[in-house]
Amino acid sequence: MNETLEQRLSMLLDGETTPFETKRLVDEIHCNPHIKALWLRMNKQRAALKGELIDPTLDISASVMSHLNSTPQISHLNSKPWQFSHFFPTHYLKACCYLLGFFLVLSSPLLNLKNFSPSDPISKLSNPSKTFNRNIPLPGNEALLVDLGSNFNGNLKNYRMVSDNAIEANYQLPDNEAVKIKVFFNGVPQSERLNLIESGITLHTKSGNEPIVLNVSSDQISNSKLIKISNTFFTK
Amino acid sequence: MDNELALIELVKKGDKKAYNTLVLKYQDRLVYSVYKFLKDFELAQDIAQEAFIKAYKNIEKFRGDSQFYTWIYRIAINTAKNVVSTKARKSEIYDNDTTDQLLSESAATSENPENILQAEQLRSEINKALQNLPEDIRVTLSLREFDGLSYEEIAKVLECPIGTVRSRIHKGREMLDQTFSKYDMSNFEVRKI
């Protein structure tokens, strides 16, 4: 591929560049006034061809960018008050999870809890020291939900208790696809579980020494991707 | 069809340069679309500007189900409708039902480009230059610009390698750019209603 910069700009205009090339060209356009002028002209030429050019000297980009530069970065623009992770950054939540897990491991002999059985195939679920538990305060479970999402690069968007024994959590994948995970604690009657499960993949597993049931579903991603996500709970 | 998801992804990560690239790409088209509704060039610019700002602030909501332009067009037209509604309320001339009528009438009467602007001359020059392009280049460029085919689709239609499509389109644009650059912009007079 020996395209000239102009040819690559032409490809950018047509949306035919790779993400890597797109990033490079964006940088070039804004570092080099000549390239920026060429990009502007190419777009005006297209507008003229399609009869959509009103004023060849029109350029509102400076005022748009000036306005945007006076506002915070996009990640802050979209802060949602209900999203726990905005108040507590992910690294902080992770640290809390590890500390909680560490504390549980240390305290398990004192509390006479059964150890995680290494022979149990489902014991590979994430970090065995992290335990979903209906008896711990909800933020504790939320931290675990965040950590659960990190297995498959899912960003926890929100969650709610759908019954006394079940949490429903919604995640967003990097491609903006939504994934829903329902976590059922031990003892949820099957009838109640069936009522709450509409579709997706259901796993019987454990979190710490607590048996739990996970239901992973999405109406936006393929079954194969759903299976891959489910597998991440076993491979970590 | 355009695949701008890479640019959008950069914007979602906070890359304002990527967004500026999109603004540069769509500003003329968006101002033109709003102008068709409002028949007010300066207001059309203000609304397009506001639409770009709103779109940036809500870029997380853009899921890529449609083209970016379709999405921002909707934002701009809704903003334009709000402006018309506000005007109508203020003037107490129009009731709610007449707002859409007002917009559609406005759009209908502006269908004739000569009623909108005097940019016809430049467009005519560009189109003349397009007609004068070598046939293979003209056909390839037309399939891209007017039929919206992707490079791969054009390669299939013309039964040629995709690299040939790339270079023909680039060559065509380069030749049109000569006409465009030569054109004395100072002669271009925009009629502002």
Side-chain angles (χ1 to χ4, degrees):
Chain A
M1 302 284 264
N2 287 320
E3 290 100 359
T4 61
L5 182 62
E6 288 79 5
Q7 188 167 343
R8 287 188 285 129
L9 274 183
S10 173
M11 289 165 66
L12 180 68
L13 186 68
D14 294 327
E16 297 273 356
T17 46
T18 62
F20 177 72
E21 190 60 31
T22 301
K23 169 75 180 143
R24 280 184 62 195
L25 286 167
V26 163
D27 289 342
E28 299 230 33
I29 287 170
H30 294 89
C31 291
N32 186 331
H34 169 71
I35 302 299
K36 187 173 182 177
L38 182 59
W39 174 245
L40 186 64
R41 216 162 57 236
M42 280 176 123
N43 283 291
K44 292 208 175 287
Q45 185 196 101
R46 167 176 275 183
L49 269 176
K50 294 186 173 179
E52 296 171 339
L53 186 69
I54 297 183
D55 179 357
T57 61
L58 171 78
D59 188 1
I60 59 172
S61 66
S63 52
V64 170
M65 297 320 291
S66 153
H67 184 96
L68 294 182
N69 285 332
S70 63
T71 58
Q73 284 292 313
I74 197 154
S75 55
H76 300 294
L77 291 171
N78 294 293
S79 294
K80 293 177 179 64
W82 43 263
Q83 196 168 330
F84 188 77
S85 58
H86 279 126
F87 294 103
F88 299 95
T90 311
H91 63 271
Y92 175 72
L93 290 173
K94 282 188 175 174
C96 288
C97 289
Y98 287 124
L99 282 174
L100 179 65
F102 187 58
F103 170 75
L104 286 172
V105 167
L106 286 180
S107 61
S108 59
L110 298 173
L111 299 173
N112 199 24
L113 295 176
K114 286 181 185 174
N115 284 335
F116 222 79
S117 164
S119 59
D120 184 351
I122 59 178
S123 68
K124 292 180 196 166
L125 171 63
S126 191
N127 185 335
S129 61
K130 298 171 189 173
T131 309
F132 278 104
N133 191 328
R134 86 192 92 177
N135 297 321
I136 65 174
L138 210 49
N141 279 323
E142 185 168 38
L144 290 162
L145 290 171
V146 169
D147 198 47
L148 190 67
S150 69
N151 285 333
F152 55 93
N153 288 328
N155 183 25
L156 180 64
K157 300 301 289 182
N158 55 22
Y159 71 95
R160 65 189 176 114
M161 297 295 294
V162 284
S163 76
D164 288 345
N165 298 307
I167 302 174
E168 179 184 285
N170 290 298
Y171 295 87
Q172 189 176 33
L173 299 183
D175 295 337
N176 274 340
E177 294 152 325
V179 171
K180 182 175 289 181
I181 296 187
K182 287 175 183 159
V183 181
F184 299 93
F185 300 131
N186 186 25
V188 181
Q190 193 176 10
S191 56
E192 183 184 333
R193 212 166 57 223
L194 290 174
N195 276 339
L196 292 167
I197 293 176
E198 293 156 359
S199 61
I201 295 170
T202 303
L203 315 162
H204 290 255
T205 181
K206 280 185 178 178
S207 175
N209 62 346
E210 280 277 322
I212 58 167
V213 176
L214 295 179
N215 172 252
V216 189
S217 65
S218 171
D219 53 4
Q220 293 174 358
I221 63 174
S222 63
N223 281 339
S224 61
K225 197 166 178 183
L226 218 50
I227 290 167
K228 276 184 191 166
I229 289 174
S230 307
N231 285 341
T232 63
F233 303 136
F234 296 105
T235 52
K236 288 264 171 164
Chain B
M1 299 296 282
D2 283 8
N3 178 358
E4 286 161 335
L5 290 180
L7 267 178
I8 302 290
E9 282 309 312
L10 288 173
V11 177
K12 284 182 177 176
K13 287 174 189 165
D15 189 336
K16 287 180 178 167
K17 289 183 292 183
Y19 195 65
N20 196 14
T21 308
L22 280 172
V23 175
L24 290 169
K25 182 170 183 178
Y26 288 120
Q27 57 182 355
D28 287 293
R29 193 174 174 191
L30 194 62
V31 169
Y32 174 77
S33 298
V34 178
Y35 178 79
K36 280 210 303 179
F37 272 100
L38 299 176
K39 296 174 82 177
D40 182 328
F41 182 63
E42 283 180 16
L43 188 56
Q45 286 182 79
D46 290 344
I47 285 172
Q49 184 180 322
E50 197 178 327
F52 277 120
I53 292 165
K54 279 184 186 172
Y56 180 82
K57 289 180 176 173
N58 292 285
I59 197 75
E60 285 295 333
K61 293 179 188 166
F62 177 70
R63 308 181 60 87
D65 301 332
S66 61
Q67 295 282 296
F68 175 75
Y69 180 75
T70 311
W71 186 64
I72 199 168
Y73 172 82
R74 212 177 298 135
I75 293 173
I77 292 305
N78 284 337
T79 309
K81 279 187 173 183
N82 287 340
V83 168
V84 171
S85 300
T86 308
K87 272 188 177 178
R89 270 199 300 276
K90 278 183 182 171
S91 65
E92 295 182 353
I93 292 173
Y94 307 106
D95 57 32
N96 288 338
D97 294 335
T98 56
T99 304
D100 282 340
Q101 193 187 341
L102 178 76
L103 285 171
S104 60
E105 279 172 2
S106 164
T109 52
S110 62
E111 282 302 314
N112 181 353
E114 287 184 1
N115 290 339
I116 309 170
L117 47 91
Q118 291 178 341
E120 186 68 31
Q121 199 180 341
L122 178 56
R123 279 190 265 154
S124 138
E125 289 290 325
I126 285 286
N127 281 309
K128 206 187 292 174
L130 178 72
Q131 296 311 314
N132 289 333
L133 291 177
E135 191 181 347
D136 52 349
I137 292 177
R138 178 171 49 80
V139 170
T140 311
L141 189 59
S142 298
L143 285 172
R144 172 62 221 158
E145 295 292 15
F146 302 118
D147 297 307
L149 299 191
S150 68
Y151 287 7
E152 195 181 350
E153 288 167 330
I154 296 171
K156 278 181 189 162
V157 169
L158 300 180
E159 296 178 333
C160 65
I162 199 164
T164 308
V165 172
R166 249 182 242 135
S167 60
R168 279 183 193 169
I169 288 176
H170 167 58
K171 186 73 187 162
R173 286 187 175 137
E174 213 171 40
M175 292 166 89
L176 291 183
D177 190 48
Q178 288 169 8
T179 308
F180 204 83
S181 307
K182 274 184 215 162
Y183 194 81
D184 183 2
M185 296 296 184
S186 61
N187 285 338
F188 191 91
E189 193 180 318
V190 182
R191 192 173 80 185
K192 298 176 183 177
I193 300 172

